[in-house]
Amino acid sequence: MAQQFPTWGPRPPSHRPRPARRRHAVYAVAGALLALLLLAGGGATALYLRFDGNISEIDIDAALGADRPEDEPGGSLDILVLGSDSREGENEVYGRQQGGPRADTAMVVHLAEDRRGGTVVSIPRDTLVDRPACRDEDGGEVPAAERVMFNEAFAVGGPVCAVKTAEAMTGVRMDHYVEVDFRGFEQMIDALGGVEVTLDRPLRDSDSRLDLAAGDHRLDGETALALVRTRKSLGDGSDLERIQLQHSFLRALAAEVREVGVLGDPRQLYRLADTATGAVTTDSALASVPELTALARRLGDIPPERLQTVTLPVGYDPVDPNRVVPLEPQASGVWDALRADVPVPDRLTEGSEAEPKRDADPPALSG
């Protein structure tokens, strides 16, 4: 029997209690980043050339050629969004690099054709996948590998291999690619003037240099980065717990961006647009202020209650409990929903280790 999906309409009430932080839509990495880039559209057209020159680009379509999933008909968009933990150049301040840069945060952002909704699917970086053969950034061949962490693809083959691996895992063609690194994230937060958050309990993690008491805080870029990277201060210290905290933080970030967009002075808007465009790497088709602004407006047009966030359903690997594997058939159902351009049904996340347990501690970050 064919799998049945809901449509992009009002969602029926669920009989299963859902945590507050998952009940509301959030703007995840892509939403926050593209909302920042939207501010570039407020500048004079004469400034476009300056901002365009800030954007780094990768011609992923040329590199991958025709050996890719078919693009689904219609006007829906699928975007692979990565947060890179590269320690090269300015990023060396964040620690020594071991084994090359990695995709510290990975999300597939789906924007519906009718512009009424969207879905953000977080992929835990510890997820074991089969990586296809790739080429490294020097053109050398990297053989295919089984049961490797998803973020290794970026480490061995850069953005092109990350996209190729994501498409092999999901069966979904990625229309665009957006990457932001440590330094860029910190600079964007500082250009914004910080982000206001409320912690329900203290968070301390020497690895990410985090030391925050419970209560209200306005976080600068360095502290915000430590917050979204922390693992040791959260429950069992897993990447799954960290994803939940990231969702809450990026909701707070989106709120700050919207306020600046309405109330900010032109000089701050200029600095923010300049910083945001300088902080990202995109595919060639997206590497211009007009294209990024159009994408940001499309994202901004989606009502918050219809921007769904999901963590890929996973279970702990029976061989290595420090890793997770996609939970089937639920994980395939998530990608089927994206290809069908419909929301991910709630039932597909049931039983996933990524879902908060009923007896779990309350979220550290309100929102």
Side-chain angles (χ1 to χ4, degrees):
M1 181 177 179
Q3 190 168 8
Q4 299 297 310
F5 296 103
T7 60
W8 289 113
R11 305 195 69 168
S14 172
H15 297 294
R16 178 167 59 97
R18 297 179 61 84
R21 63 181 175 274
R22 293 291 306 280
R23 186 162 51 239
H24 302 291
V26 302
Y27 276 85
V29 170
L33 174 60
L34 295 175
L36 287 170
L37 293 170
L38 175 59
L39 299 178
T45 303
L47 297 178
Y48 274 19
L49 289 178
R50 171 179 170 79
F51 293 146
D52 277 350
N54 289 346
I55 303 167
S56 299
E57 64 178 278
I58 301 287
D59 194 346
I60 289 176
D61 286 342
L64 290 181
D67 186 19
R68 305 178 66 183
E70 289 188 13
D71 198 5
E72 295 298 323
S76 64
L77 288 178
D78 295 286
I79 307 154
L80 179 63
V81 180
L82 298 184
S84 166
D85 70 351
S86 169
R87 307 294 202 279
E88 298 176 358
E90 289 182 311
N91 286 339
E92 289 180 354
V93 68
Y94 300 111
R96 293 182 179 179
Q97 184 67 34
Q98 297 180 347
R102 293 179 185 267
D104 194 58
T105 300
M107 299 179 180
V108 175
V109 179
H110 175 85
L111 302 181
E113 178 180 9
D114 64 9
R115 301 178 181 243
R116 296 177 58 203
T119 300
V120 179
V121 182
S122 294
I123 303 173
R125 68 175 186 174
D126 296 336
T127 305
L128 295 179
V129 300
D130 293 339
R131 176 179 51 74
C134 295
R135 293 195 176 276
D136 61 28
E137 294 186 325
D138 295 325
E141 185 173 348
V142 180
E146 297 180 351
R147 287 179 49 82
V148 296
M149 293 202 317
F150 176 80
N151 69 345
E152 186 199 74
F154 184 83
V156 302
V160 174
C161 192
V163 171
K164 188 173 184 180
T165 301
E167 291 185 342
M169 178 179 72
T170 66
V172 176
R173 185 184 180 106
M174 300 298 144
D175 298 295
H176 293 299
Y177 170 83
V178 176
E179 174 195 335
V180 60
D181 65 12
F182 275 173
R183 195 67 174 173
F185 179 88
E186 179 179 332
Q187 290 172 342
M188 284 193 292
I189 299 298
D190 287 337
L192 185 62
V195 175
E196 190 79 28
V197 302
T198 299
L199 295 181
D200 296 329
R201 61 178 187 269
L203 290 178
R204 295 182 175 87
D205 183 346
S206 58
D207 283 356
S208 66
R209 305 179 189 180
L210 181 69
D211 187 358
L212 292 172
D216 296 336
H217 299 270
R218 174 161 285 275
L219 305 182
D220 62 13
E222 183 177 6
T223 308
L225 178 61
L227 178 67
V228 298
R229 287 185 52 76
T230 185
R231 296 176 71 160
K232 287 186 176 179
S233 63
L234 301 173
D236 61 5
S238 72
D239 197 46
L240 305 179
E241 295 260 2
R242 185 177 63 154
I243 287 173
Q244 294 163 14
L245 181 141
Q246 288 173 344
H247 285 178
S248 294
F249 172 79
L250 290 160
R251 180 164 54 245
L253 173 56
E256 294 280 354
V257 169
R258 288 193 296 271
E259 183 175 346
V260 168
V262 173
L263 303 176
D265 66 73
R267 288 173 298 178
Q268 185 182 19
L269 294 177
Y270 179 92
R271 288 194 302 270
L272 191 51
D274 194 26
T275 301
T277 51
V280 298
T281 299
T282 74
D283 63 284
S284 296
L286 198 56
S288 71
V289 170
E291 290 294 333
L292 284 167
T293 300
L295 182 58
R297 290 186 187 280
R298 179 167 177 172
L299 181 63
D301 286 344
I302 297 174
E305 66 275 10
R306 292 188 180 179
L307 185 60
Q308 179 188 35
T309 60
V310 175
T311 301
L312 179 68
V314 293
Y316 288 111
D317 180 50
V319 177
D320 183 353
N322 293 316
R323 302 288 180 258
V324 295
V325 293
L327 189 64
E328 297 295 353
Q330 294 94 316
S332 293
V334 169
W335 307 127
D336 288 344
L338 266 58
R339 285 192 295 272
D341 195 26
V342 294
V344 174
D346 288 344
R347 60 182 172 75
L348 292 180
T349 61
E350 294 177 356
S352 171
E353 293 293 344
E355 288 295 289
K357 303 297 185 290
R358 292 180 183 274
D359 59 351
D361 291 336
L365 179 61
S366 296

